[in-house]
Amino acid sequence: MSELIACRAALRVWPLVFGAKLTDRFDGRARRTLSFLTARCILTSGVAAMLPTPEVRAAAAAPAAAAAPAADAARAVAFRAVAARAASDAANSAQARAARVAADAADFAAADAARAAAAARAAVLADTKLSEADLWSSRLWHDKAPPDWAELDALDGPDAVLADPAFDVWRRWYLAALQGTPLPIALQEKVALIPNNVWGAGPEVVAERINEIEEDLREDTPRDWPDHVPKLETRKLVQHIHTLLDNRFLSEGVALSAAHGLENAIAQFCRNAPANELPEEMLPLRRVPDILIRLASQIQIAAQRSEALQSKDQRLRDKDIEIAKLSATIVELNSTIATLEGNLANAQAEGLDRNFRKGFAESLGKLGHPATLGGLALSVAYFFGVPASDVTFQNLRDYLRGVEEAEPLPDLPGTFDV
């Protein structure tokens, strides 16, 4: 919790870095470098607070050393903001080292320390009254309007750091946090895990890598999210995962039962279908049993670790890691179901007539049985933390019905001995 509070406090005063007034010793190039380094510190530390896996923790610690020299350079030409120091002091764990450096760097660049401190202290106090899950998606200044020095409109201009195309993602990141609609955690995690040598190459190279990451994520996610698939919210999902872990045996059973039922249905279909494989648009369905089995395994491991003899702090850290893994796996399930439903909607729009051999519909067997589809829908809703009525598999059901009613391909001509 303290790590996330520190990151938000540092982000509040980050505009005092990228919008710092120039002096002879703090020119545009220095401001640009410091803005880039502190942005990395804040982002990676924020991700580590929400997804504290070993890889992310290591990534959060790495930029601290890189930002320190830049912060020292800024120290010579700027005032010290009490707000950033107070936020930095709130973070008292090893994972928050990068957040502390980020807070220091923003702190050093503050042009009006007293004014920054008064506004930021009130926001930090409001942060402490929220849960970690709520904090992640709360407006940066809560119900208050951002101070004028934190508004981009007042900081824009031809020479503004965030007007630089290489800083476009950082502009979007800051605005999203300002509005309480943070960039997707999957994107931020992948940015945090960009290798050090890429970060060392500068803002332009990092911007290119982030563009590649965003493109990859777009390819993994349907461009038009199907109406019948709920989109999961990070805050609610993290809260729900605590419930899943509190009901370990039920959660394991739901995952394994649905996985084995779907596996058997797919195997039966492939044995009997003319092509011995699912049609291309249904292939995402093959991934679902594996994801469910992985969920069952992660739940079991999380329970075993919580029961092991270790300190309370270690148990809490381990639980955070397991929750992060479970969250990523459930998001993967969500995206897979959305891809499946999107594929099937497109296939129906293009028409199903003369796409399948005569024996295809008869091969559906268990795959199209209400018990299989109902069990799958109930298990998916269980892990999404939504009412069962919200997971309808409407496009899958319509597709299977359409296949049964579609005009089949003509039979292949027979073969003759010559």
Side-chain angles (χ1 to χ4, degrees), residues 351-385:
L352 299 177
D353 285 339
R354 302 178 68 83
N355 278 343
F356 306 102
R357 298 285 171 199
K358 188 176 294 183
F360 181 85
E362 289 82 358
S363 303
L364 289 174
K366 289 183 181 178
L367 194 56
H369 196 280
T372 301
L373 296 180
L376 178 60
L378 287 172
S379 65
V380 168
Y382 178 81
F383 284 104
F384 286 179

Side-chain angles (χ1 to χ4, degrees), residues 244-245 248 251-252 295-303 326 383:
L244 296 179
L245 293 176
R248 165 198 164 183
S251 299
E252 280 188 67
L295 279 173
S297 175
Q298 289 173 343
I299 290 167
Q300 185 181 55
I301 291 171
L326 279 165
F383 284 104

Side-chain angles (χ1 to χ4, degrees), residues 24-74:
D24 292 341
R25 296 184 59 193
F26 193 62
D27 59 14
R29 183 177 178 182
R31 181 179 60 175
R32 189 174 187 270
T33 300
L34 186 58
S35 300
F36 175 63
L37 292 173
T38 51
R40 181 192 179 189
C41 286
I42 300 169
L43 180 141
T44 53
S45 298
V47 174
M50 294 301 293
L51 299 176
T53 63
E55 296 81 6
V56 173
R57 286 173 184 265
D72 288 340

